[in-house]
Amino acid sequence: MQKQRRPSKKSLRSLDYLNVFLADVRDGVGPYLSIYLKASENWNPVQIGMAMSVSTIATVIAQTPAGALVDRLRQKRMLIVLAAVFVSIGCIAIGLFTSLPVVIGSQIMIGIAAAIFPPAITAITLGLVGHERLDRRVGRNETFNHAGNLLAAVLAGLAGYFIARKAIFFLVAAMAVGSIISVRMIREREIDHELARGDGEEGEEEDKEKHQQRYEGILQLLSDRKILFFTIAVVLFHFANAAMLPLVGQDIGAG
C-alpha cells in the first residue's frame, strides 16, 4: 500500500503562487518583444526574426541537459531561482539597451531559463504530493498558471498605457522576483527528491529498485515508437503553430 504524502498548506500555497508568477516569466516577454521592436525601435523583420528565434533554439538545445540536471540535483528550488534571475536580467537588459547583441544575448538567457522551469516545477510537484495526487495537482498548477497569464496581461496593459511601453519588461522582471520569493517559501524538507525523479512512493524500497532498473539511455528511449511518433507530432505542431502569434503581433504593431 502506497503512503500518501501530506505536504503543509504553506508549501502548497507557495506552489500556487509560484505558478501565478511564472505564468509570463517562463516565456520572458514572449510575442510582445516582436511588437515592441517593430513599433518602438523600428527593427527590420530579419533582426526581429533573429531575436525571436535564438530564444527558441536555446530552449530546444537546453531542454535535455536541463531535465537531466533537475533529475540529478536536489537543489530544485535553487534551479528555479537561478532561472528566474536569468529572466530578470534578460528583461531588464532588453528594457534598457535594445541593441542587437544585447537583445540576442538576453534572449539566449531567457531561452535557457525557459527549459529549466517546466521540469523543475513538475519535479517539485511530484516530490510534494506523490503519484496518487499528481494529476489533480498538475491541473491546479495549470489553473493558477492561466490565472497568472490573465493577471500579467492586465498589468502589462496598464503599465504600457500609463507608464511606458518598455515598462512591460520590468514587470516581467518583477514577477520573476515574485517567483523567487514563492519557491523559497516551499519547504525543502517536504520534497521527496527520489520520488521527484519518478521513483516509487516514499518507503517502498522494492518499488524504487524496479524504477531504478527502468532508467534507460537516450537510444533506448528513441527506440520506443510511441515516444518517437509523439516527438515528431510535437515538433510538427510547433513548426506549424509557434510562429503565428509573433507574426500577427508584428503586423498589428506595423499598423
Side-chain angles (χ1 to χ4, degrees), residues 153-174:
V154 172
L155 293 177
L158 293 174
Y161 186 80
F162 290 105
I163 303 175
R165 290 176 178 178
K166 62 173 57 180
I168 296 175
F169 298 107
F170 300 98
L171 172 64
V172 175

Side-chain angles (χ1 to χ4, degrees), residues 14-23 80 121 179 182-183 186:
S14 299
L15 185 58
D16 292 338
Y17 299 147
L18 176 62
N19 281 281
V20 169
F21 284 115
L22 283 184
I80 291 180
I121 293 174
S179 68
S182 298
V183 76
I186 297 175

Side-chain angles (χ1 to χ4, degrees), residues 7-241:
S8 66
K9 290 183 179 180
K10 179 181 179 180
S11 291
L12 294 178
R13 280 197 302 267
S14 299
L15 185 58
D16 292 338
Y17 299 147
L18 176 62
N19 281 281
V20 169
F21 284 115
L22 283 184
D24 266 23
V25 174
R26 288 196 297 186
D27 300 318
V29 286
Y32 176 76
L33 178 61
S34 64
I35 302 172
Y36 175 78
L37 294 176
K38 177 69 176 179
S40 299
E41 301 297 325
N42 298 314
W43 281 34
N44 63 54
V46 174
Q47 292 174 314
I48 295 173
M50 289 174 58
M52 299 301 294
S53 298
V54 292
S55 177
T56 303
I57 294 171
T59 301
V60 170
I61 294 174
Q63 273 182 335
T64 300
L69 195 63
V70 170
D71 264 354
R72 181 173 294 273
L73 297 181
R74 301 174 68 88
Q75 295 82 8
K76 296 173 176 56
R77 298 185 309 157
M78 185 54 64
L79 287 175
I80 291 180
V81 169
L82 292 176
V85 169
F86 273 27
V87 173
S88 184
I89 293 173
C91 288
I92 291 174
I94 293 173
L96 295 177
F97 312 100
T98 50
S99 64
L100 182 61
V102 171
V103 173
I104 294 295
S106 299
Q107 283 288 88
I108 291 174
M109 291 177 62
I110 293 172
I112 294 173
I116 295 174
F117 290 128
I121 293 174
T122 302
I124 289 175
T125 301
L126 179 58
L128 282 173
V129 304
H131 292 284
E132 288 294 316
R133 298 167 59 195
L134 179 63
D135 54 349
R136 190 175 303 174
R137 184 64 230 191
V138 168
R140 184 179 175 90
N141 285 355
E142 289 303 310
T143 299
F144 279 89
N145 181 263
H146 290 302
N149 281 324
L150 179 60
L151 174 64
V154 172
L155 293 177
L158 293 174
Y161 186 80
F162 290 105
I163 303 175
R165 290 176 178 178
K166 62 173 57 180
I168 296 175
F169 298 107
F170 300 98
L171 172 64
V172 175
M175 294 185 72
V177 173
S179 68
I180 291 173
I181 296 172
S182 298
V183 76
R184 295 296 297 173
M185 291 173 61
I186 297 175
R187 293 173 176 170
E188 175 70 25
R189 65 178 182 273
E190 295 181 4
I191 303 173
D192 184 334
H193 292 283
E194 292 302 320
L195 182 58
R197 298 180 60 184
D199 284 344
E201 292 287 353
E202 185 180 26
E204 295 191 0
E205 296 299 331
E206 293 183 3
D207 197 29
K208 286 184 180 181
E209 291 178 4
K210 291 179 182 179
H211 279 273
Q212 291 283 356
Q213 294 171 1
R214 290 171 57 188
Y215 291 154
E216 297 176 342
I218 187 66
L219 294 179
Q220 287 86 352
L221 184 65
L222 293 177
S223 66
D224 188 323
R225 295 182 62 187
K226 294 179 181 179
I227 294 178
L228 182 61
F229 286 137
F230 176 75
T231 302
I232 293 172
V234 171
V235 170
L236 292 176
F237 170 80
H238 282 288
F239 272 129
N241 180 69

